[in-house]
Amino acid sequence: MNHFNDTGQGLSHTILCRILSPGIITNTVLVVAYVTLLFAACVENATVIHLVRTYKDLRQSTFNLLIINMAVADIIDVCFATTVSVSFVFVGRQWIPGLAGKISCKLFYYILVMSIGLSISTLVIMSVDRYKAIVHAMKKPMSLAAAKRCIAVSWIISAIASSPYLYKVETRKIDDGTTICGSIWSNDPVQHLFYSKLEEIIKALIFYVLPLIAIGTTNILIGYRLRKRPSFGGNRKQEMISIQNQKIYKLPVANVALFAFCWLFTHVNHIMNVFFTSNYCSLPAPVPL
């Protein structure tokens, strides 16, 4: 999701944006960060998938199926995000010319955004599943079949939510004959800017506000139930359970806070790009990158 969008004001204007000409130090730090992230994310998520698939007890857990789905989404995300971001460091928005370039340009950004949607939607499903298991413990838990249906729905919803990228992202040649890959809703700058603003508002709602409300509500209720869970046994046992509940209570709160904090900057970045273009272009390259 973190890529530069044309704002419909012409390439002669957008090329002046500082984000398109980062310095050597910024490029070096970005490359090291992305390569490190790529290695760590692939190893860790692949390990999770291997463990769940290897051990029968883990494989039969509905919650662990959701973890596998999220791990797959995160591997896809980090691979495509790293490819796009590292290539941006070295060649900017330059892309492969011809039909191969047109297809790869659309697919790269489509799959990247779809993987993000898949990861977030899975997180929402996991939060709802934990909510039902803890707050409504007496009800029947999610079955394996239901979990598989939820996973299928998360893929379908993510694919549909990302489909505009198959339309708006395309290659084109600029004045010097170079082929670039970028977003363009319309050749009319005014219409392009309008649709770009509308897109970022909708994207912030779908990928941030609504998921944050969902995981926030469920995790806060989970934490509240755990914190208020009655203790049984002697005083020492009650004290140990109380300490354990307090520790567990901090986990969902941290989960919500991390989601809210980490994704906030991405959406602020994109919204500034289309709503406050001049201010965005005047930012030093390291800030938005």
Side-chain angles (χ1 to χ4, degrees):
M1 287 174 71
N2 190 19
H3 65 282
F4 184 82
N5 289 311
D6 296 333
T7 56
Q9 299 180 34
L11 287 170
S12 60
H13 177 83
T14 58
I15 201 70
L16 297 176
C17 280
R18 295 185 182 183
I19 189 176
L20 295 177
S21 55
I24 296 176
I25 295 177
T26 300
N27 286 343
T28 304
V29 171
L30 283 174
V31 170
V32 171
Y34 269 106
V35 171
T36 303
L37 180 64
L38 173 66
F39 176 78
C42 287
V43 170
E44 291 169 5
N45 283 291
T47 302
V48 169
I49 295 171
H50 172 72
L51 290 175
V52 174
R53 287 178 57 85
T54 302
Y55 293 95
K56 185 177 179 181
D57 292 341
L58 295 177
R59 190 168 63 248
Q60 292 178 343
S61 169
T62 57
F63 190 73
N64 288 332
L65 282 180
L66 297 174
I67 289 179
I68 287 181
N69 196 51
M70 175 172 280
V72 170
D74 290 341
I75 289 175
I76 296 172
D77 177 22
V78 74
C79 288
F80 280 83
T82 300
T83 303
V84 170
S85 299
V86 172
S87 67
F88 180 83
V89 167
F90 290 105
V91 296
R93 293 184 297 161
Q94 292 184 33
W95 206 263
I96 307 168
L99 181 62
K102 185 178 289 291
I103 294 174
S104 61
C105 172
K106 289 180 178 293
L107 284 180
F108 257 83
Y109 285 106
Y110 172 73
I111 295 174
L112 172 58
V113 177
M114 185 186 72
S115 66
I116 293 171
L118 181 61
S119 180
I120 293 173
S121 62
T122 305
L123 180 61
V124 172
I125 295 170
M126 290 167 67
S127 298
V128 173
D129 177 63
R130 291 301 87 192
Y131 168 79
K132 291 177 62 179
I134 295 173
V135 178
H136 301 286
M138 300 305 293
K139 292 186 178 180
K140 186 179 179 181
M142 182 186 294
S143 64
L144 283 172
K148 291 177 181 178
R149 286 195 296 269
C150 287
I151 290 172
V153 169
S154 70
W155 278 85
I156 293 171
I157 291 175
S158 301
I160 293 173
S162 309
S163 59
Y165 278 76
L166 293 174
Y167 171 80
K168 72 160 191 165
V169 177
E170 61 181 38
T171 56
R172 50 187 167 139
K173 286 189 176 182
I174 56 178
D175 295 340
D176 63 359
T178 304
T179 300
I180 64 170
C181 175
S183 303
I184 179 166
W185 282 107
S186 171
N187 290 322
D188 180 0
V190 176
Q191 284 190 355
H192 173 77
L193 184 58
F194 171 77
Y195 287 124
S196 295
K197 289 179 177 180
L198 184 62
E199 175 200 355
E200 294 306 332
I201 292 173
I202 294 174
K203 202 158 59 176
L205 285 173
I206 294 176
F207 288 99
Y208 186 70
V209 177
L210 295 178
L212 181 58
I213 292 173
I215 67 173
T217 302
T218 52
N219 279 281
I220 288 171
L221 290 174
I222 288 170
Y224 180 80
R225 172 56 63 91
L226 289 172
R227 196 175 185 183
K228 296 297 182 180
R229 187 169 59 183
S231 302
F232 301 97
N235 291 333
R236 180 171 177 79
K237 188 175 181 180
Q238 287 182 2
E239 183 180 352
M240 291 177 62
I241 293 175
S242 177
I243 293 173
Q244 183 186 36
N245 286 345
Q246 288 178 13
K247 290 181 179 179
I248 297 174
Y249 174 73
K250 294 177 182 178
L251 184 60
V253 174
N255 191 28
V256 175
L258 281 171
F259 179 88
F261 179 79
C262 293
W263 279 110
L264 176 64
F265 296 100
T266 296
H267 293 287
V268 168
N269 195 17
H270 292 176
I271 288 171
M272 278 194 67
N273 184 16
V274 295
F275 282 92
F276 309 100
T277 308
S278 297
N279 293 332
Y280 183 82
C281 283
S282 65
L283 291 172
V287 176
L289 288 174

